[in-house]
Amino acid sequence: MEATRVSIRRARPLLGTFVEIAASGQSLDAAEAAVEAAFSAVATVHSLMSFHEPGSDVSRLNRGAGSGAIRVHHWTCQVLEVACDLNSRSGGIFDISVAPALQKLGLLPKVPEVSAPSNGGVIAREGACKQTEGLIPRSARLRARLEGRRLAGPCPGPSFETAARRNRLLPISTLQACRSRASPTSAGGLLGIRAELFHPLESSAGAIQLLPENRVRFADPSVKIDLGGIAKGFAVDRAVEALRRHGIAEGLVNAGGDLRGFGSPSHAVDIRDPREPSHPLCRVALRNAALASSAGLFDPVRSHRASASAVIDPATATPARSIIGATVCAGSCVIADALTKVVMNAGEAAAPLLEHYGSDALFVSASGVVHMTANWKNEVRLAA
Amino acid sequence: MTSWVRLTLPAALAASISSPSYAVQYLTIDAAKKLAFPSASRFVENGGLTWKAQAGDRLLGLFVVDHVIGKHLYIDYAVALDTSGRVMRVDILQYRESYGGEVREPGWLAQFVGKTSSSPLKVGSDIRNISGATLSSLHITEGVKRILATYGSHSR
């Protein structure tokens, strides 16, 4: 006989968006306690990885890791490991060190000072909307990247699992050696149709050194990181972990469209039409998996249309343009979140990386064509 | 090897002010009060949609309900302040958004709903989960700041 379950659904403003958590538990109190723990995990990720809060690990690193190793929370270390691994595997397309480009565009403020006033514990990414153009000069590193060497293709670097082993030096030298060994002809593999656009790069894997005991050092003081392209997915994964730890068998965590469901139910997820965000593009069936989308920043108050994308093409240091929206389905939300940025920039050429992570994707080109991985087409229904 | 299929979309739909609205009730005011102040024995009305949470005569904090505009519609939320005027928690009570549109192949949809209806958790079937361009919660943040400015010094 199946035990009676109580299902609850709660929402809070976190990570600059609305985070919604649904859980089914043995009792109301048990479900509430689990959801509270899950929100708490999301809030912790926010306080560690916000670009805007002066006390976050990210701000501490951006201020000081260029001149010496800084110890961070092991969650921050985990995200950096995933980010560096993805940077390597994507041939530099995924890059958390594009913060200077985002600052140049006014999408990120200058690096917060320690003395900046706290906002009273209220969490927000509203700084992302503020005009801060010209506060930070384009870094030498970014310039070097723009003038830089041609990229070698994807390399068979250490697996994610290997790289995720903590408290040891990330084998950056291995990654770099591996990259330099990669044959120039392999460049077409991942970069494919956009290969001509890519003249990177020094990877963030080279710029960010992960040291034992959760210490992190940057190659030079001009390196600035922004985890906005990956932390939300990581937060969703930590929330799911918290729910499970509290005995929740079925639930869903949705952080502003980066979401993950677990347990037996299949979840219907509408994907916004990037051309008209108040309408669905399609509906996806999601079961025991994560889904993340990237598109323009949708501010429903100022405009019903999505504005410029915050996804930066590391090769040109400008927003990705030819693809206006991308959605990725993966086993974990951190991977789904990060891969949307790769798909936004690489399009169909992201196929090997999607395959490596057992992921599916769809993206919408500016010309109004939906490209969808063939495996996924039975799970996706287009809107009328 | 991963392969791709391509589908050409019809022209983007014109924005329609009459698009159906979508609403989720997360918490009632009473439920939110009890979650924010589980040890409170009573909530004393304090004018407007504000209450003093008390355990006997001891003040635990202030509970404030407010709304901010979403797209065309209001989002109701609650803020719990402790006795030092700090924000303890912010809960969304009701979320409303103009969001609508049909999904093709209703037969397929019916099949999908059927699959989930046997499940004890109906998260996937009767609830709209939306992914896409990220919605900003900026207006909630601004609303919380207004509440702090108004009540932050009154919760002691």
Side-chain angles (χ1 to χ4, degrees):
Chain A
M1 193 188 88
E2 186 150 348
T4 316
R5 294 228 183 114
V6 180
S7 297
I8 62 167
R9 194 180 187 207
R10 304 284 179 252
R12 291 191 195 167
L14 282 164
L15 305 166
T17 186
F18 298 96
V19 177
E20 182 183 85
I21 299 180
S24 174
Q26 302 296 333
S27 69
L28 181 61
D29 285 351
E32 292 284 6
V35 168
E36 185 63 40
F39 276 124
S40 169
V42 174
T44 299
V45 171
H46 179 101
S47 66
L48 292 171
M49 301 179 202
S50 165
F51 188 90
H52 309 280
E53 290 189 13
S56 72
D57 277 357
V58 165
S59 293
R60 290 169 52 235
L61 289 170
N62 283 339
R63 281 194 306 268
S67 44
I70 286 179
R71 189 176 210 138
V72 294
H73 192 278
H74 65 274
W75 282 1
T76 308
C77 237
Q78 281 177 33
V79 171
L80 291 173
E81 282 169 356
V82 174
C84 289
D85 191 49
L86 272 159
N87 177 266
S88 154
R89 289 183 183 284
S90 68
I93 296 174
F94 183 82
D95 195 339
I96 57 171
S97 61
V98 294
L102 287 165
Q103 289 170 321
K104 181 97 180 153
L105 289 161
L107 289 165
L108 278 178
K110 67 174 183 173
V111 173
E113 299 295 331
V114 190
S115 57
S118 153
N119 62 0
V122 182
I123 45 278
R125 282 201 66 184
E126 73 270 19
C129 304
K130 287 179 185 149
Q131 285 299 315
T132 52
E133 195 171 355
L135 285 174
I136 294 259
R138 178 171 294 202
S139 74
R141 200 174 103 70
L142 195 62
R143 247 188 342 265
R145 175 179 301 162
L146 291 168
E147 297 157 359
R149 292 160 282 133
R150 194 167 181 82
L151 171 71
C155 61
S159 69
F160 168 66
E161 289 73 23
T162 322
R165 254 184 260 138
R166 266 179 282 135
N167 298 337
R168 65 174 181 75
L169 192 67
L170 192 78
I172 290 159
S173 53
T174 315
L175 298 179
Q176 286 172 332
C178 176
R179 177 171 296 124
S180 60
R181 275 203 310 275
S183 127
T185 53
S186 70
L190 179 59
L191 303 178
I193 50 170
R194 306 213 38 210
E196 74 282 1
L197 295 176
F198 282 85
H199 300 278
L201 97 137
E202 180 188 335
S203 73
S204 63
I208 300 163
Q209 296 159 17
L210 304 182
L211 308 170
E213 295 171 341
N214 300 322
R215 286 175 308 126
V216 179
R217 191 168 56 204
F218 292 166
D220 69 78
S222 72
V223 176
K224 302 282 181 260
I225 60 165
D226 169 32
L227 298 180
I230 187 169
K232 203 151 53 126
F234 183 80
V236 169
D237 289 336
R238 297 289 71 75
V240 166
E241 190 177 77
L243 292 174
R244 284 182 158 155
R245 202 173 50 237
H246 280 72
I248 301 296
E250 292 169 356
L252 184 81
V253 177
N254 183 352
D258 289 359
L259 52 93
R260 178 170 167 184
F262 66 99
S264 54
S266 189
H267 304 278
V269 182
D270 281 2
I271 297 173
R272 292 182 193 279
D273 187 334
R275 301 168 304 168
E276 195 59 62
S278 64
H279 285 90
L281 174 74
C282 59
R283 183 166 293 175
V284 177
L286 188 73
R287 188 169 191 165
N288 264 324
L291 188 93
S293 297
S294 274
L297 300 165
F298 179 38
D299 183 338
V301 174
R302 295 191 175 93
S303 165
H304 66 267
R305 303 232 175 223
S307 55
S309 167
V311 176
I312 296 295
D313 180 343
T316 60
T318 55
R321 289 204 192 279
S322 61
I323 295 173
I324 57 173
T327 296
V328 173
C329 179
S332 72
C333 205
V334 68
I335 294 297
D337 192 6
L339 288 181
T340 60
K341 283 73 189 178
V342 179
V343 174
M344 282 289 279
N345 274 306
E348 291 198 355
L353 198 63
L354 291 167
E355 186 153 300
H356 173 79
Y357 286 106
S359 304
D360 280 303
L362 65 83
F363 64 89
V364 183
S365 67
S367 55
V369 177
V370 178
H371 305 240
M372 192 185 299
T373 52
N375 295 338
W376 213 16
K377 68 176 192 291
N378 293 331
E379 307 294 323
V380 176
R381 288 296 177 276
L382 286 178
Chain B
M1 181 65 199
T2 299
S3 60
W4 297 84
V5 291
R6 297 177 195 185
L7 305 152
T8 304
L9 288 171
L13 297 162
S16 162
I17 292 170
S18 63
S19 56
S21 72
Y22 152 81
V24 198
Q25 170 89 45
Y26 291 105
L27 283 166
T28 62
I29 291 177
D30 280 347
K33 275 182 197 163
K34 282 169 195 149
L35 279 174
F37 295 99
S39 58
S41 56
R42 59 189 179 131
F43 292 90
V44 180
E45 283 191 32
N46 193 46
L49 285 172
T50 66
W51 290 264
K52 283 181 172 172
Q54 297 186 332
D57 289 335
R58 190 165 62 90
L59 182 64
L60 301 173
L62 196 66
F63 183 81
V64 182
V65 172
D66 187 25
H67 57 232
V68 290
I69 191 89
K71 184 179 176 182
H72 301 122
L73 306 165
Y74 283 115
I75 296 167
D76 302 340
Y77 68 104
V79 180
L81 304 175
D82 67 13
T83 51
S84 60
R86 276 199 306 256
V87 176
M88 293 163 62
R89 59 189 281 160
V90 181
D91 277 299
I92 306 297
L93 303 181
Q94 186 156 30
Y95 181 88
R96 305 177 192 87
E97 186 186 337
S98 281
Y99 175 86
E102 295 310 309
V103 170
R104 275 184 216 158
E105 299 178 66
W108 174 85
L109 205 58
Q111 181 190 19
F112 183 85
V113 171
K115 257 190 220 163
T116 54
S117 64
S118 61
S119 142
L121 182 69
K122 299 236 170 63
V123 168
S125 56
D126 58 350
I127 283 173
R128 203 150 203 178
N129 302 295
I130 304 171
S131 182
T134 305
L135 284 161
S136 163
S137 60
L138 172 61
H139 294 90
I140 298 280
T141 307
E142 290 171 348
V144 173
K145 283 181 181 165
R146 281 195 299 274
I147 286 172
L148 270 175
T150 311
Y151 299 107
S153 57
H154 293 271
S155 56
R156 286 165 252 236

